[in-house]
């Protein structure tokens, strides 16, 4: 085997690819060869490091030097200075935003310091397209242990004792779900992975699929052994082409080594895994809808019971778990339930991966121990609000969740505390908002989403979300009426209690939680026809400040509606009748002479 | 016409591949769309006949999923991310600017067939919000001002491919 003195890890997750990591990788390959280092330094394409904001990310081992926002033109310098002469390139290191100090090592960066990367432990560290790298990190050891040293019942007991709960949002105890499927009578059973990550702005499952696909495969194989199944399906969002590609490679490699297929580890246990691509329907994240979709039908949910554990895919007992849930399984089996149960809060064990995005300085994926506060995530890991603006709220759990205002920032996060605050864990999306975000408009945005994604099977969700959306649209246009808030509340309660599935039952949450914490914003829109955040276009107007405008004409030139007029070197004016409120003028003005009110 | 026959024989091959399999309809539709670029009515009719399923059932599956299209698409597909982060970072302004530049609204195709405008709730590139995708190219931190420059890249490419 070839021994290398160093490794260069280039991130090939979707975030870094979006900022150009493919070109960086190609240039690295070229430069390593040009400097005759290709036999000494190994170039590794990895999955996501989570710190997407700073992409493309390049890490050099054994030192663990972290380079960020690397461009192809920087590569030669890294190779020549660092890899050849041993002098890290300072200008490409991460700079601490507060102290402005350079932070050369991965582990010392604030973004990573408070994280507890277990599920994401391999992401960004191994080459996801090479099964041997996963095995070198103790991969498939848990499957071997389960198959050769444990009975299926013992596996279930271990997962129950660990206290693992479903990471897809509901938080149902995983071990219990497995037990139901195990006890269900039937000769054929299925294990299904819900990788239809539909919540906007949650991308942790994709990161696992792209960065550590074998963890999912191993977790599913252990689950199959536990419930007595020999076949599994991974239902992946079609918008994740890279994840699908890597899963296919991973499954093929696992087959080749006999880690999938017949008589695995000589135990007599067989397991076959299929991939099913979704076709863009949010409701397919609901387990009965997902099963209908695998069966090739419209992805409409059905009444439960019977639960999938008894009557699932093709009418057979089936167990559906989310990607992150399965990825936790091998770690629990390998290290023991006690190790897992020691982390977290009383009722929520282990870690949770959050997708931290929005108006926060450091965005990306953060895996933290349950019980951490939102303040720690937003300020310590996230580095605070962009431009040091005022924090307004964080939306947690996507369209099914709710917002958390400043006064609750010190709430320790777990499944139950979030429910009591009117939000929910959901899949773990955390969208941070500052003073410029209008909460009524945000509620309208989510209702627009759920209303479009409603499958239409049950009346409360189909009609109710539409009526709620109509009301919210009126309010954001300044056409709100007295009594609208009460009507919204009453509709919300009805939809929550009478909808068929989770989509409808949680759809009103964004409205209820914004009403709970930001009722004054609704009132300002309805009574004063005013948007306090200045975000609602219909209620906003643009104005040029005469004392600041020097008449440079750049706004008039950029205005697509020709709404700005004026003489050169004299203050300009906006014609409100022509203005389409696109904001292009504000963006182009160098003198801060245009204001949005 | 020749091209059409060739495609029809490919459709027969797709149908043959999945016949008798459970859940075949969905897979056939996915592959047929890959083949034709969209799902024309006559293709849906032949799928329905071949699988022995009512046309209404085939159409009900097609209309349910956002991925299935019954209209042809322009040469370039622009998709504006309408996820939460992109929304609060100004996706609507980007959408408005693209609409204005091309003279089409959401779901529309330009008269010359060069562009189709669509949206997608989240590409998962939230760290680069607001994001748009043209074909397979992702553009991050887009501002309304950058829109004409991005579109220009594809108008040129379109002109090049048609002239060559």
């Amino acid at each position: 085997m070839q021994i290398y003195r160093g490794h260069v890890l280039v991130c090939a997750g979707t975030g870094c690819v979006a900022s150009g990591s493919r070109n960086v990788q190609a240039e690295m390959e070229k430069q390593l060869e040009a400097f005759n280092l290709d036999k000494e330094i190994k170039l590794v394409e990895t999955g996501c490091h989570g710190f997407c904001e700073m992409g493309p990310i390049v890490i050099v081992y054994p030192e663990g030097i972290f380079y960020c926002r690397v461009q192809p033109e920087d590569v030669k310098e890294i190779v020549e200075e660092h890899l050849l002469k041993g002098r890290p390139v300072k200008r490409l290191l991460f700079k601490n935003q507060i102290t402005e100090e350079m932070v050369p090592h991965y582990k010392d960066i604030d973004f990573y310091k408070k994280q507890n990367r277990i599920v994401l432990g391999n992401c960004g560290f191994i080459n996801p397209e090479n099964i041997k790298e996963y095995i070198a990190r103790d991969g498939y050891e848990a499957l071997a242990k389960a198959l050769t040293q444990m009975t299926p019942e013992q596996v279930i007991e271990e997962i129950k004792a660990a206290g693992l709960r479903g990471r897809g949002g509901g938080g149902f105890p995983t071990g219990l779900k497995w037990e139901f499927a195990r006890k269900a009578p039937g000769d054929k059973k299925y294990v299904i992975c819900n990788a239809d990550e539909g919540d906007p702005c949650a991308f942790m499952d994709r990161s696992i699929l792209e960065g550590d696909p074998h963890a999912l495969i191993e977790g599913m194989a252990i689950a199959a052994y536990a419930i007595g199944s020999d076949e599994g399906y991974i239902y992946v969002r079609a918008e994740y082409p890279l994840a699908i590609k890597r899963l296919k490679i991973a499954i093929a490699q696992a087959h080749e080594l006999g880690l999938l297929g017949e008589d695995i580890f000589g135990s007599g246990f067989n397991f076959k895994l299929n991939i099913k691509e979704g076709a863009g329907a949010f409701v397919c994240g609901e387990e009965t809808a997902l099963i209908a979709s695998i069966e090739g039908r419209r992805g409409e949910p059905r009444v439960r019971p019977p639960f999938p554990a008894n009557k699932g895919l093709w009418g057979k007992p089936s167990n559906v778990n989310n990607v992150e849930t399965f990825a936790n399984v091998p770690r629990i089996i390998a290290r023991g339930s006690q190790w897992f149960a020691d982390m977290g809060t009383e009722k929520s064990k282990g870690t949770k991966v959050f997708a931290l995005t929005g108006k926060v300085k450091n965005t990306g994926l953060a895996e933290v121990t349950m019980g951490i506060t939102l303040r720690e995530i937003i300020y310590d890991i996230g580095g605070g609000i962009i431009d040091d603006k005022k924090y307004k709220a964080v939306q947690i759990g996507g369209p099914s969740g709710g917002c958390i205002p400043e006064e609750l920032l010190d709430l320790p996060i777990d499944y139950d505390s979030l429910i009591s605050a009117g939000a929910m864990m959901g899949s773990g999306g955390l969208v941070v908002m500052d003073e410029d975000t209008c909460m009524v408009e945000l509620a309208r945005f989510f209702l627009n989403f759920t209303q479009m994604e409603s499958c239409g099977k049950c009346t409360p969700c189909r009609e109710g979300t539409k009526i709620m959306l109509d009301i919210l649209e009126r309010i954001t246009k300044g056409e709100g009426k007295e009594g609208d808030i009460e009507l919204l509340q009453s509709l919300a309660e009805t939809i929550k209690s009478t909808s068929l599935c989770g989509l409808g039952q949680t759809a009103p949450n964004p409205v209820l939680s914004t009403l709970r914490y930001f009722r004054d914003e609704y009132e300002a829109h309805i009574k004063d026809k005013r948007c306090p955040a200045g975000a609602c276009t219909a209620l906003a107007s643009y104005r040029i400040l005469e004392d600041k405008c020097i008449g440079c004409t750049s706004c008039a030139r950029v205005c697509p509606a020709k709404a700005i007029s004026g003489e050169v070197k004299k203050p300009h004016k906006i014609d409100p009748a022509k203005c389409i409120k696109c904001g292009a003028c504000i963006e182009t003005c160098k003198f801060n002479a245009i204001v949005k009110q | 016409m020749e091209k059409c026959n060739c495609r029809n024989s490919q459709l027969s091959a797709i149908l043959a591949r999945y016949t008798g399999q459970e859940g075949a309809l969905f897979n056939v539709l996915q592959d047929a769309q890959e083949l034709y670029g969209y799902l024309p009515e006559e293709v849906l009719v032949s799928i329905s006949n071949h699988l022995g399923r009512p046309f209404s059932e085939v159409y009900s599956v097609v209309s349910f999923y956002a991925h299935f299209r019954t209209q042809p698409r322009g040469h370039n597909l622009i998709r504006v991310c309408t996820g939460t982060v992109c929304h609060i970072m100004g996706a609507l302004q980007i959408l408005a600017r693209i609409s204005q530049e091309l003279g089409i609204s959401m779901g529309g195709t330009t008269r010359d067939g060069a562009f189709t405008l669509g949206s997608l709730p989240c590409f998962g590139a939230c760290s680069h919000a607001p994001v748009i995708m043209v074909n397979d190219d992702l553009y991050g931190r887009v501002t309304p001002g950058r829109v004409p420059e991005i579109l220009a890249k594809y108008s040129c490419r379109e002109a090049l491919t048609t002239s060559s």
Side-chain angles (χ1 to χ4, degrees), chain A residues 8-13 25 44-49 57 59 122-128 133 210-211 242 246:
Chain A
V8 175
L9 276 52
V10 179
C11 179
Q25 196 185 334
V44 184
E45 174 185 322
T46 69
C48 179
H49 290 276
I57 290 171
I59 303 183
N122 283 338
C123 287
F125 198 73
I126 62 166
N127 177 352
E133 297 206 7
E210 288 178 1
L242 185 62
R246 294 209 171 132

mmCIF file of all heavy atoms in Angstrom, chain A residues 8-13 25 44-49 57 59 122-128 133 210-211 242 246:
data_model
loop_
_atom_site.group_PDB
_atom_site.id
_atom_site.type_symbol
_atom_site.label_atom_id
_atom_site.label_comp_id
_atom_site.label_asym_id
_atom_site.label_seq_id
_atom_site.Cartn_x
_atom_site.Cartn_y
_atom_site.Cartn_z
ATOM 1 N N VAL A 8 -4.403 16.130 1.293
ATOM 2 C CA VAL A 8 -5.123 17.376 1.039
ATOM 3 C C VAL A 8 -6.580 17.000 0.809
ATOM 4 O O VAL A 8 -6.897 16.246 -0.106
ATOM 5 C CB VAL A 8 -4.573 18.091 -0.208
ATOM 6 C CG1 VAL A 8 -5.425 19.318 -0.514
ATOM 7 C CG2 VAL A 8 -3.133 18.496 0.001
ATOM 8 N N LEU A 9 -7.435 17.521 1.688
ATOM 9 C CA LEU A 9 -8.852 17.204 1.584
ATOM 10 C C LEU A 9 -9.581 18.379 0.928
ATOM 11 O O LEU A 9 -9.551 19.498 1.447
ATOM 12 C CB LEU A 9 -9.433 16.962 2.980
ATOM 13 C CG LEU A 9 -9.280 15.561 3.590
ATOM 14 C CD1 LEU A 9 -7.845 15.083 3.553
ATOM 15 C CD2 LEU A 9 -9.796 15.540 5.013
ATOM 16 N N VAL A 10 -10.214 18.124 -0.187
ATOM 17 C CA VAL A 10 -10.991 19.181 -0.840
ATOM 18 C C VAL A 10 -12.464 18.830 -0.706
ATOM 19 O O VAL A 10 -12.876 17.724 -1.055
ATOM 20 C CB VAL A 10 -10.610 19.324 -2.330
ATOM 21 C CG1 VAL A 10 -11.450 20.412 -2.989
ATOM 22 C CG2 VAL A 10 -9.138 19.651 -2.478
ATOM 23 N N CYS A 11 -13.235 19.762 -0.175
ATOM 24 C CA CYS A 11 -14.659 19.499 0.043
ATOM 25 C C CYS A 11 -15.406 19.477 -1.288
ATOM 26 O O CYS A 11 -15.236 20.361 -2.120
ATOM 27 C CB CYS A 11 -15.264 20.553 0.953
ATOM 28 S SG CYS A 11 -17.021 20.294 1.218
ATOM 29 N N ALA A 12 -16.205 18.444 -1.486
ATOM 30 C CA ALA A 12 -17.010 18.345 -2.703
ATOM 31 C C ALA A 12 -18.484 18.223 -2.340
ATOM 32 O O ALA A 12 -19.258 17.573 -3.019
ATOM 33 C CB ALA A 12 -16.549 17.164 -3.541
ATOM 34 N N GLY A 13 -18.861 18.858 -1.233
ATOM 35 C CA GLY A 13 -20.278 18.920 -0.869
ATOM 36 C C GLY A 13 -20.955 19.940 -1.767
ATOM 37 O O GLY A 13 -20.282 20.745 -2.418
ATOM 38 N N GLN A 25 -10.194 21.575 -7.044
ATOM 39 C CA GLN A 25 -9.703 20.196 -7.020
ATOM 40 C C GLN A 25 -8.887 19.876 -8.276
ATOM 41 O O GLN A 25 -7.800 19.284 -8.188
ATOM 42 C CB GLN A 25 -10.894 19.247 -6.919
ATOM 43 C CG GLN A 25 -10.500 17.856 -6.508
ATOM 44 C CD GLN A 25 -11.691 16.914 -6.550
ATOM 45 O OE1 GLN A 25 -12.825 17.340 -6.419
ATOM 46 N NE2 GLN A 25 -11.420 15.643 -6.720
ATOM 47 N N VAL A 44 -7.711 14.053 -1.583
ATOM 48 C CA VAL A 44 -8.938 13.328 -1.246
ATOM 49 C C VAL A 44 -10.149 14.236 -1.449
ATOM 50 O O VAL A 44 -10.176 15.363 -0.949
ATOM 51 C CB VAL A 44 -8.908 12.837 0.227
ATOM 52 C CG1 VAL A 44 -10.146 12.012 0.538
ATOM 53 C CG2 VAL A 44 -7.658 12.039 0.511
ATOM 54 N N GLU A 45 -11.121 13.732 -2.177
ATOM 55 C CA GLU A 45 -12.381 14.470 -2.354
ATOM 56 C C GLU A 45 -13.312 14.030 -1.232
ATOM 57 O O GLU A 45 -13.594 12.849 -1.092
ATOM 58 C CB GLU A 45 -12.962 14.118 -3.727
ATOM 59 C CG GLU A 45 -14.327 14.696 -3.970
ATOM 60 C CD GLU A 45 -14.929 14.238 -5.295
ATOM 61 O OE1 GLU A 45 -14.186 14.114 -6.287
ATOM 62 O OE2 GLU A 45 -16.144 14.008 -5.319
ATOM 63 N N THR A 46 -13.743 14.969 -0.389
ATOM 64 C CA THR A 46 -14.570 14.578 0.754
ATOM 65 C C THR A 46 -15.987 15.109 0.625
ATOM 66 O O THR A 46 -16.302 15.858 -0.293
ATOM 67 C CB THR A 46 -13.991 15.145 2.068
ATOM 68 O OG1 THR A 46 -14.169 16.563 2.054
ATOM 69 C CG2 THR A 46 -12.533 14.801 2.234
ATOM 70 N N GLY A 47 -16.800 14.725 1.616
ATOM 71 C CA GLY A 47 -18.152 15.273 1.709
ATOM 72 C C GLY A 47 -18.085 16.599 2.444
ATOM 73 O O GLY A 47 -17.014 17.174 2.631
ATOM 74 N N CYS A 48 -19.251 17.036 2.905
ATOM 75 C CA CYS A 48 -19.395 18.386 3.455
ATOM 76 C C CYS A 48 -18.764 18.542 4.838
ATOM 77 O O CYS A 48 -18.917 17.704 5.709
ATOM 78 C CB CYS A 48 -20.890 18.674 3.531
ATOM 79 S SG CYS A 48 -21.327 20.244 4.190
ATOM 80 N N HIS A 49 -18.063 19.661 5.027
ATOM 81 C CA HIS A 49 -17.491 19.998 6.334
ATOM 82 C C HIS A 49 -18.481 20.761 7.190
ATOM 83 O O HIS A 49 -18.208 21.038 8.345
ATOM 84 C CB HIS A 49 -16.257 20.881 6.159
ATOM 85 C CG HIS A 49 -15.098 20.173 5.573
ATOM 86 N ND1 HIS A 49 -14.237 19.435 6.329
ATOM 87 C CD2 HIS A 49 -14.673 20.062 4.304
ATOM 88 C CE1 HIS A 49 -13.314 18.918 5.546
ATOM 89 N NE2 HIS A 49 -13.555 19.272 4.311
ATOM 90 N N ILE A 57 -13.641 24.755 0.818
ATOM 91 C CA ILE A 57 -12.783 24.447 1.959
ATOM 92 C C ILE A 57 -11.730 23.412 1.563
ATOM 93 O O ILE A 57 -12.039 22.425 0.910
ATOM 94 C CB ILE A 57 -13.642 23.935 3.140
ATOM 95 C CG1 ILE A 57 -14.481 25.090 3.699
ATOM 96 C CG2 ILE A 57 -12.775 23.311 4.228
ATOM 97 C CD1 ILE A 57 -15.514 24.668 4.700
ATOM 98 N N ILE A 59 -8.509 21.246 3.485
ATOM 99 C CA ILE A 59 -7.827 20.964 4.752
ATOM 100 C C ILE A 59 -6.593 20.116 4.470
ATOM 101 O O ILE A 59 -6.647 19.184 3.668
ATOM 102 C CB ILE A 59 -8.757 20.239 5.752
ATOM 103 C CG1 ILE A 59 -10.005 21.093 5.988
ATOM 104 C CG2 ILE A 59 -8.046 19.978 7.065
ATOM 105 C CD1 ILE A 59 -10.955 20.534 7.000
ATOM 106 N N ASN A 122 -17.583 11.648 10.181
ATOM 107 C CA ASN A 122 -16.834 11.246 8.988
ATOM 108 C C ASN A 122 -16.988 12.229 7.829
ATOM 109 O O ASN A 122 -16.210 12.179 6.877
ATOM 110 C CB ASN A 122 -17.328 9.880 8.492
ATOM 111 C CG ASN A 122 -16.792 8.748 9.341
ATOM 112 O OD1 ASN A 122 -15.780 8.903 10.022
ATOM 113 N ND2 ASN A 122 -17.471 7.618 9.311
ATOM 114 N N CYS A 123 -18.006 13.091 7.907
ATOM 115 C CA CYS A 123 -18.276 14.000 6.789
ATOM 116 C C CYS A 123 -17.144 15.014 6.670
ATOM 117 O O CYS A 123 -16.848 15.735 7.610
ATOM 118 C CB CYS A 123 -19.590 14.743 6.996
ATOM 119 S SG CYS A 123 -21.014 13.706 6.758
ATOM 120 N N GLY A 124 -16.543 15.049 5.522
ATOM 121 C CA GLY A 124 -15.433 15.971 5.330
ATOM 122 C C GLY A 124 -14.111 15.368 5.749
ATOM 123 O O GLY A 124 -13.063 15.990 5.622
ATOM 124 N N PHE A 125 -14.149 14.157 6.265
ATOM 125 C CA PHE A 125 -12.918 13.530 6.731
ATOM 126 C C PHE A 125 -12.522 12.344 5.859
ATOM 127 O O PHE A 125 -11.353 12.044 5.703
ATOM 128 C CB PHE A 125 -13.098 13.093 8.185
ATOM 129 C CG PHE A 125 -11.809 12.844 8.898
ATOM 130 C CD1 PHE A 125 -10.997 13.918 9.283
ATOM 131 C CD2 PHE A 125 -11.379 11.559 9.189
ATOM 132 C CE1 PHE A 125 -9.790 13.706 9.924
ATOM 133 C CE2 PHE A 125 -10.164 11.334 9.836
ATOM 134 C CZ PHE A 125 -9.373 12.414 10.207
ATOM 135 N N ILE A 126 -13.521 11.663 5.320
ATOM 136 C CA ILE A 126 -13.224 10.504 4.475
ATOM 137 C C ILE A 126 -13.704 10.734 3.051
ATOM 138 O O ILE A 126 -14.524 11.616 2.808
ATOM 139 C CB ILE A 126 -13.892 9.208 5.013
ATOM 140 C CG1 ILE A 126 -15.418 9.343 5.031
ATOM 141 C CG2 ILE A 126 -13.351 8.851 6.374
ATOM 142 C CD1 ILE A 126 -16.146 8.036 5.218
ATOM 143 N N ASN A 127 -13.180 9.941 2.161
ATOM 144 C CA ASN A 127 -13.671 9.963 0.787
ATOM 145 C C ASN A 127 -14.928 9.087 0.731
ATOM 146 O O ASN A 127 -14.855 7.873 0.900
ATOM 147 C CB ASN A 127 -12.593 9.410 -0.151
ATOM 148 C CG ASN A 127 -13.070 9.340 -1.588
ATOM 149 O OD1 ASN A 127 -14.245 9.558 -1.880
ATOM 150 N ND2 ASN A 127 -12.157 9.029 -2.485
ATOM 151 N N PRO A 128 -16.091 9.705 0.519
ATOM 152 C CA PRO A 128 -17.340 8.935 0.585
ATOM 153 C C PRO A 128 -17.485 7.910 -0.545
ATOM 154 O O PRO A 128 -18.351 7.047 -0.485
ATOM 155 C CB PRO A 128 -18.421 10.011 0.479
ATOM 156 C CG PRO A 128 -17.757 11.176 -0.167
ATOM 157 C CD PRO A 128 -16.315 11.118 0.205
ATOM 158 N N GLU A 133 -12.199 3.666 3.266
ATOM 159 C CA GLU A 133 -11.980 4.773 4.198
ATOM 160 C C GLU A 133 -13.015 4.731 5.323
ATOM 161 O O GLU A 133 -12.721 5.062 6.463
ATOM 162 C CB GLU A 133 -12.013 6.118 3.462
ATOM 163 C CG GLU A 133 -10.892 6.218 2.445
ATOM 164 C CD GLU A 133 -10.456 7.652 2.142
ATOM 165 O OE1 GLU A 133 -10.916 8.587 2.814
ATOM 166 O OE2 GLU A 133 -9.646 7.817 1.216
ATOM 167 N N GLU A 210 -24.164 12.513 1.133
ATOM 168 C CA GLU A 210 -23.034 12.856 0.272
ATOM 169 C C GLU A 210 -21.694 12.599 0.935
ATOM 170 O O GLU A 210 -20.715 12.308 0.258
ATOM 171 C CB GLU A 210 -23.089 14.342 -0.109
ATOM 172 C CG GLU A 210 -24.176 14.687 -1.091
ATOM 173 C CD GLU A 210 -24.234 16.189 -1.396
ATOM 174 O OE1 GLU A 210 -23.403 16.947 -0.852
ATOM 175 O OE2 GLU A 210 -25.102 16.593 -2.154
ATOM 176 N N GLY A 211 -21.655 12.738 2.252
ATOM 177 C CA GLY A 211 -20.371 12.694 2.946
ATOM 178 C C GLY A 211 -20.064 11.392 3.646
ATOM 179 O O GLY A 211 -18.896 11.087 3.905
ATOM 180 N N LEU A 242 -26.107 14.464 -6.505
ATOM 181 C CA LEU A 242 -24.825 14.001 -5.988
ATOM 182 C C LEU A 242 -25.024 12.927 -4.919
ATOM 183 O O LEU A 242 -24.306 11.923 -4.873
ATOM 184 C CB LEU A 242 -24.036 15.198 -5.426
ATOM 185 C CG LEU A 242 -22.626 14.921 -4.950
ATOM 186 C CD1 LEU A 242 -21.764 14.423 -6.096
ATOM 187 C CD2 LEU A 242 -22.007 16.177 -4.337
ATOM 188 N N ARG A 246 -23.624 9.062 -5.058
ATOM 189 C CA ARG A 246 -22.752 8.477 -4.037
ATOM 190 C C ARG A 246 -23.398 7.272 -3.359
ATOM 191 O O ARG A 246 -22.711 6.320 -3.002
ATOM 192 C CB ARG A 246 -22.366 9.545 -3.005
ATOM 193 C CG ARG A 246 -21.505 10.608 -3.647
ATOM 194 C CD ARG A 246 -20.550 11.254 -2.683
ATOM 195 N NE ARG A 246 -19.631 12.086 -3.426
ATOM 196 C CZ ARG A 246 -19.330 13.341 -3.107
ATOM 197 N NH1 ARG A 246 -19.853 13.893 -2.025
ATOM 198 N NH2 ARG A 246 -18.488 14.027 -3.830
#
